[in-house]
Amino acid sequence: DPRPIERGCEEGPAPADAAALARSIQADPDLDATAPVAVTIGGLPALRMDVDQAPGASLCDNWGPAMAVTAGIVGESNRMRLWLLDLPGGSVRTLAIALTAPKSDFERVMEAEAPLLDSFEFDTP
């Protein structure tokens, strides 16, 4: 389950769902995130948003497996596209899929990665 990053680079509590995680990312003053757009991945509803470093941001250098957005994937030269999904019936409630690319090549890389996302399949109860 991905978690938001709180002040002091501490891992925040697990959000209730993908929408709550999207709201926490949008509320982070160190990030510039687009409004979530409803999409489908592997037959499941998902939210897609682009995330960038806000001007004057102070991003965390450390990152653990549960942190959704850190300096390791968003920065002065990189931008991230983030998909957030609620997974039914499993131990993991929310799945974050993040693809990063240099800002100068961002749209081209996202187009090239589309077949990868189209190949996702999720077993649902």
Side-chain angles (χ1 to χ4, degrees):
D1 284 335
R3 297 170 192 260
I5 302 168
E6 296 186 339
R7 292 224 181 265
C9 295
E10 296 296 320
E11 188 176 289
D17 56 22
L21 180 56
R23 284 190 301 275
S24 73
I25 291 169
Q26 283 192 292
D28 188 326
D30 289 323
L31 301 174
D32 182 15
T34 61
V37 174
V39 296
T40 301
I41 297 179
L44 294 178
L47 297 174
R48 183 190 76 211
M49 58 196 311
D50 291 346
V51 182
D52 205 343
Q53 177 178 331
S58 131
L59 297 179
C60 303
D61 288 330
N62 60 325
W63 91 308
M67 292 181 160
V69 182
T70 68
I73 53 180
V74 174
E76 290 181 17
S77 61
N78 291 329
R79 188 170 195 192
M80 176 179 66
R81 180 153 293 163
L82 183 63
W83 292 266
L84 304 171
L85 299 89
D86 292 319
L87 299 178
S91 61
V92 174
R93 294 179 298 189
T94 303
L95 173 67
I97 302 168
L99 294 176
T100 61
K103 290 178 183 179
S104 60
D105 295 326
F106 186 76
E107 291 303 325
R108 183 185 60 77
V109 171
M110 292 305 119
E111 286 177 24
E113 295 296 335
L116 170 70
L117 289 169
D118 290 341
S119 72
F120 280 41
E121 294 180 19
F122 298 99
D123 291 331
T124 57

